[in-house]
């Protein structure tokens, strides 16, 4: 059976079912009822049961109903379906020749509720002017624009636009698109956006977006381009082919009384080369629709730019979108997102931030994922900006780098004095690699900040993040190697390993494991655009949880090393240590255990606060404590790993005395045996 015949039969059935009057307010969830038609629910003060629903009919000039919910013993409006428009008769006026049933015999429906129009009301609209109305829908514009944009009318207009998109979207001419845009513009005006909160269907905004995209996607282009603009919705289209240079859609639209907001869609030239044939590209901009679409991010976030939808050939994979920010405060972060039509939510996997500054954000979005119908930016919570936090980070990083360089210099000076046994050699070898790993990580940390602030190449940001991840992991895995060294020296007394075996095992653990984890992380998350954190050169957390590839190994090593320290305390407590009978190797193990016992809690505390800054990213206190601990890790390694070690201090003192004695002899030789000339 033809779909349009079924549609008409449905209208007839709905007419007789919904025409039955109901004027008595009904309270669901408790026993209270009232016969008052006007403000009936408001007069039920106090309401009896929280969560109870009161359904109140509209005033005589409207059809529909208003629902209230009982909260804190007061009735709060839940939804308002009271409407004055008869959108079914409006639809009949523009579709008489499209449907197989005569408009003059159809019942009239308002927003799906029939029986509110009078029989024959629609007939006066038909006649000689109906053909021009079907050509551009212009005859229904005055009725819609003269109606108030109340929640009930908004819902009905959304349904009207949906029907037009589904049933009347063949051969969309400029005239039809202009009328369609004027209708949508009426319910997207910034002055009435707050009314959307009481629309009964909470998915109405998503339905409107899908309807506009469907209708605009069939727009016929005159002379290879088209541009139709209303204050709160704009449509642009271009003919494109593989020889076309880079195409851009530039929008500048009114947002509110304070001024305009801009947006841009760019199709890169390399993408256009994928086109096998001539095609068209359509983009629609909505400066206010973002306030309507619900944000369901794990952290509170709000749409901070216009919504840009695109209709492109399937061959195109990636597009560039530039969004001007509504909120231009420096501490406001940004997250590029795509609207998932099926799940009706913002999805950060659709896009990634390419560049970001105080006023605008550039996003790279994957158009090849057909699930996304539109794109925008969310106001992501950013780390709080503070001059104190910046000062701590700069000073701390400088001190950390200086401390690590000094640590490596001291190790180089005393190396031959402190590595006379296998166990001491292994200890200092691990310490050198710990210091070197953190030194490189600190330098990369500075480079990551430069790359992010300058909005440089995305691939460079990925590379910096990869090596930053690798060297931070190496720091912890060399700490883990120290822990294993303690167990070896303490428990495997009669099992000796050669230096070459130790070096092979240490490099495999210290650098091999981090390399495997880092490669797997980037290989799994980068194809999904989930490797980088939005607006920073560091591992993603909110979408793909890529940061767990650092957090889990690091915290696991901290726990293992703390267990090792406990084992050492128990083992040595039972021996006769302190009575002068401990061996040289056991003494070295005790010194290593002290290093691990001091450094492990400090590293654990540092990255524990690092995790806290992710959980509560707006806490300035967490950021300051993390910055202090993180920036001074190099100083901690110098202090507890080198300066507080008795053997190292003795070797350093001997080296200084030897150097001073040698310098003194050279001076005496110079005085008593002057060179000729």
């Amino acid at each position: 059976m033809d779909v349009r015949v079924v549609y008409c039969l449905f209208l007839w059935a709905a007419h007789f079912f919904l025409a039955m009057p109901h004027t008595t307010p009904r309270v669901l969830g408790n026993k209270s009822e009232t016969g008052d038609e006007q403000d009936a629910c408001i007069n039920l003060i106090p309401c009896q049961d929280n969560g109870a629903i009161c359904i109140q009919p509209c005033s005589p000039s409207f059809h529909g109903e208003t629902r209230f919910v009982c909260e804190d013993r007061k009735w709060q409006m839940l939804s308002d379906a009271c409407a004055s428009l008869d959108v079914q008769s409006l639809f009949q006026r523009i579709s008489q020749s499209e449907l197989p049933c005569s408009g003059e015999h159809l019942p009239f429906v308002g927003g799906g509720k029939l029986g509110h129009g009078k029989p024959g009301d629609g007939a006066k609209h038909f006649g000689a002017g109906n053909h021009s109305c079907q050509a551009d829908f212009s005859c229904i514009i005055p009725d819609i624009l003269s109606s108030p944009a109340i929640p009930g009318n908004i819902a009905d207009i959304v349904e009207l636009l949906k029907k037009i998109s589904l049933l009347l979207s063949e051969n969309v001419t400029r005239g039809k698109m202009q009328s369609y845009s004027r209708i949508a513009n009426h319910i997207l005006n910034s002055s009435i956006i707050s009314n959307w909160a009481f629309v009964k269907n909470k998915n109405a905004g998503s339905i409107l977006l899908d309807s506009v995209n469907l209708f605009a996607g069939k727009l016929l282009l005159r002379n290879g381009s088209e541009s139709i603009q209303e204050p709160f919705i704009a449509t642009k289209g271009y003919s494109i082919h593989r020889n076309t240079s880079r195409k851009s859609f530039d929008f500048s639209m009114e947002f509110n009384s304070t001024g305009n907001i801009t947006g841009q869609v760019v199709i890169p030239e390399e993408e256009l080369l994928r086109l096998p044939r001539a095609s068209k590209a359509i983009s629609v901009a909505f400066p206010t629709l973002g306030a309507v679409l619900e944000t369901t991010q794990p952290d509170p976030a709000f749409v901070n730019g216009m919504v840009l939808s695109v209709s492109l050939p399937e061959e195109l994979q990636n597009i560039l979108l530039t969004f001007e920010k509504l909120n231009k405060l420096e501490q406001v972060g940004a997250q590029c997102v795509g609207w998932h039509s099926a799940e009706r939510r913002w999805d950060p996997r659709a896009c990634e931030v390419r560049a970001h500054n105080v006023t605008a954000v550039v996003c790279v979005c994957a158009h090849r994922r057909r699930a996304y119908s539109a794109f925008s930016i969310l106001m992501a919570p950013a780390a709080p900006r503070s001059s104190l936090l910046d000062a701590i980070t700069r000073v701390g990083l400088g001190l950390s780098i200086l401390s690590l360089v000094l640590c490596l210099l001291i190790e180089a000076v005393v190396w031959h004095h402190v590595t006379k046994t296998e166990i001491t050699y292994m200890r200092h070898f691990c310490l050198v690699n710990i210091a070197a790993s953190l030194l490189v990580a600190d330098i990369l940390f500075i480079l990551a900040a430069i790359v992010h602030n300058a909005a440089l190449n995305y691939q460079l940001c990925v590379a910096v993040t990869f090596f930053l991840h690798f060297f931070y992991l190496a720091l912890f895995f060399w700490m883990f190697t120290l822990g294993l060294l303690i167990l070896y020296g303490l428990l495997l007394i009669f099992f000796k390993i050669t230096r070459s075996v130790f070096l092979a095992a240490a490099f495999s653990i210290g650098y091999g494991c981090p390399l495997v984890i880092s490669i797997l992380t980037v290989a799994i998350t980068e194809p999904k655009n989930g490797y980088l954190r939005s607006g920073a050169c560091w591992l993603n957390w909110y979408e793909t949880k890529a940061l767990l590839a650092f957090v889990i190994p690091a915290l696991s090593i901290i726990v293992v090393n703390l267990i090792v320290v406990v084992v050492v305390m128990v083992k040595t407590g039972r021996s006769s240590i302190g009575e002068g009978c401990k061996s040289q190797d056991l003494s070295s193990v005790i010194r290593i255990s002290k290093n691990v016992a001091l450094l492990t809690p400090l590293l654990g505390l540092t990255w524990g606060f690092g995790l806290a800054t992710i959980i509560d990213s707006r806490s300035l206190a967490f950021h300051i404590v993390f910055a202090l601990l993180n920036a001074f890790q190099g100083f901690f390694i110098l202090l507890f790993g080198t300066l507080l070690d008795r053997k190292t201090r003795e070797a350093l003192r001997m080296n200084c005395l030897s150097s001073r004695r040698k310098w003194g002899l050279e001076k005496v030789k110079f005085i008593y045996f002057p060179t000729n000339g």
Side-chain angles (χ1 to χ4, degrees), residues 218-519:
K218 298 181 180 180
L219 176 63
L220 301 176
L221 302 181
R222 303 178 308 168
N223 301 321
S225 66
E226 193 62 86
S227 179
I228 299 166
Q229 180 149 346
E230 294 292 326
F232 301 101
I233 179 173
T235 304
K236 293 189 178 184
Y238 291 110
S239 294
I240 55 175
H241 50 82
R242 61 181 297 111
N243 296 324
T244 309
S245 58
R246 184 179 101 149
K247 270 299 181 190
S248 65
F249 303 80
D250 298 295
F251 296 98
S252 178
M253 305 181 67
E254 181 181 351
F255 176 69
N256 53 32
S257 57
T258 60
N260 287 11
I261 182 174
T262 61
Q264 184 186 58
V265 179
V266 175
I267 307 174
E269 189 170 351
E270 59 269 21
E271 291 293 326
L272 291 169
L273 292 174
R274 301 176 188 271
L275 293 176
R277 67 189 69 85
S279 188
K280 66 178 178 180
I282 307 291
S283 182
V284 184
F286 308 86
T288 58
L289 184 61
V292 176
L293 299 173
E294 292 183 354
T295 56
T296 55
Q297 300 305 112
D299 214 33
F302 305 93
V303 175
N304 197 26
M306 65 169 54
V307 174
L308 294 173
S309 72
V310 290
S311 176
L312 300 173
E314 293 184 357
E315 292 81 6
L316 302 186
Q317 296 185 359
N318 296 301
I319 53 174
L320 294 173
L321 301 103
T322 302
F323 299 93
E324 180 186 355
K325 291 183 181 179
L326 297 173
N327 188 329
K328 296 180 176 63
L329 294 178
E330 185 179 358
Q331 65 267 30
V332 174
Q335 185 177 44
C336 298
V337 290
W339 182 258
H340 198 295
S341 299
E343 299 178 6
R344 288 174 173 168
R345 65 178 180 88
W346 290 114
D347 190 346
R349 294 175 298 178
C351 304
E352 62 193 29
V353 176
R354 173 60 60 87
H356 177 205
N357 58 38
V358 176
T359 60
V361 181
V362 178
C363 304
V364 181
C365 296
H367 177 262
R368 64 182 180 275
R369 300 176 184 179
R370 310 299 290 180
Y372 304 111
S373 57
F375 306 94
S376 190
I377 54 171
L378 298 183
M379 188 190 300
R385 302 303 301 170
S386 165
S387 56
L388 176 62
L389 184 60
D390 291 339
I392 290 173
T393 303
R394 291 191 183 98
V395 173
L397 272 175
L399 181 60
S400 181
I401 291 173
L402 181 62
S403 299
L404 291 168
V405 171
L406 187 59
C407 176
L408 292 174
L409 288 175
I410 291 174
E411 287 294 325
V413 169
V414 303
W415 183 260
H416 294 292
H417 299 284
V418 296
T419 58
K420 294 179 179 179
T421 65
E422 292 297 317
I423 195 76
T424 55
Y425 175 87
M426 296 173 186
R427 172 197 178 251
H428 284 275
F429 186 81
C430 290
L431 186 63
V432 166
N433 281 279
I434 288 172
S437 297
L438 185 57
L439 177 61
V440 176
D442 282 346
I443 295 171
L444 287 171
F445 185 88
I446 297 172
L447 181 59
I450 295 172
V451 170
H452 165 57
N453 290 334
L456 296 178
N457 194 291
Y458 171 78
Q459 282 73 23
L460 179 58
C461 193
V462 170
V464 170
T465 301
F466 173 83
F467 286 108
L468 195 60
H469 183 204
F470 169 74
F471 281 105
Y472 270 134
L473 280 178
L475 164 68
F476 282 93
F477 274 94
W478 278 106
M479 285 290 297
F480 178 59
T481 305
L482 263 184
L484 294 179
L485 185 60
I486 294 172
L487 293 179
Y488 161 72
L490 192 65
L491 304 178
L492 304 176
I493 299 175
F494 301 105
F495 180 76
K496 298 297 181 182
I497 61 173
T498 63
R499 185 171 295 186
S500 60
V501 172
F502 165 75
L503 291 176
F507 272 107
S508 298
I509 296 171
Y511 292 123
C513 292
L515 184 62
V516 171
I517 295 172
S518 301
I519 291 175

Side-chain angles (χ1 to χ4, degrees), residues 550-568:
F550 170 71
V551 172
I552 292 176
L555 295 184
S556 299
I557 289 171
I558 288 169
V559 171
V560 170
N561 278 7
L562 289 176
I563 294 174
V564 168
V565 171
V566 173
V567 170
V568 170

Side-chain angles (χ1 to χ4, degrees), residues 29-241:
N30 60 29
K31 299 179 181 178
S32 300
E33 293 188 1
T34 178
D36 298 332
E37 293 188 14
Q38 200 64 20
D39 295 332
C41 295
I42 302 299
N43 292 331
L44 291 175
I45 300 177
C47 54
Q48 296 181 359
D49 298 327
N50 280 341
I53 301 295
C54 178
I55 301 176
Q56 177 177 297
C58 306
S59 60
S61 57
F62 293 85
H63 57 267
E65 62 187 23
T66 305
R67 289 180 173 241
F68 294 82
V69 63
C70 184
E71 292 181 358
D72 298 327
R73 303 183 66 82
K74 291 184 180 180
W75 292 111
Q76 305 289 341
M77 184 181 290
L78 183 63
S79 65
D80 181 6
C82 295
S84 60
L85 279 173
D86 187 357
V87 295
Q88 183 55 41
S89 68
L90 296 176
F91 183 72
Q92 291 170 28
R93 287 158 59 184
I94 61 175
S95 63
Q96 183 187 22
S97 64
E98 301 288 338
L99 299 175
C101 37
S102 173
E104 54 199 340
H105 296 111
L106 280 176
F108 305 119
V109 186
K113 298 176 179 58
L114 296 146
H116 302 291
K118 298 177 182 179
D121 280 355
K124 63 185 178 182
H125 300 295
F126 303 136
N130 197 42
H131 292 292
S132 62
C133 187
Q134 293 166 10
D136 60 10
F137 309 154
S138 59
C139 65
I140 65 172
I141 299 298
D143 289 348
I144 292 175
L145 298 188
S146 62
S147 66
I150 55 177
N153 282 345
I154 290 174
D156 285 353
I157 291 173
V158 169
E159 287 301 312
L160 173 63
L161 293 174
K162 179 181 176 181
K163 291 176 183 177
I164 293 174
S165 297
L166 291 174
L167 300 174
L168 304 176
S169 59
E170 295 298 326
N171 299 321
V172 178
T173 62
R174 176 179 174 83
K176 286 183 178 181
M177 193 68 224
Q178 283 179 320
S179 297
Y180 195 98
S181 298
R182 293 186 69 188
I183 297 171
N185 184 77
H186 182 59
I187 57 175
L188 289 172
N189 193 300
S190 58
S191 63
I192 59 91
I193 287 297
S194 59
N195 291 348
W196 281 83
F198 301 105
V199 174
K200 187 174 182 180
N201 186 351
K202 299 306 177 184
N203 293 321
S206 182
I207 294 171
L208 174 64
L209 176 60
D210 292 339
S211 301
V212 173
N213 286 341
L214 177 61
F215 195 78
K218 298 181 180 180
L219 176 63
L220 301 176
L221 302 181
R222 303 178 308 168
N223 301 321
S225 66
E226 193 62 86
S227 179
I228 299 166
Q229 180 149 346
E230 294 292 326
F232 301 101
I233 179 173
T235 304
K236 293 189 178 184
Y238 291 110
S239 294
I240 55 175
H241 50 82

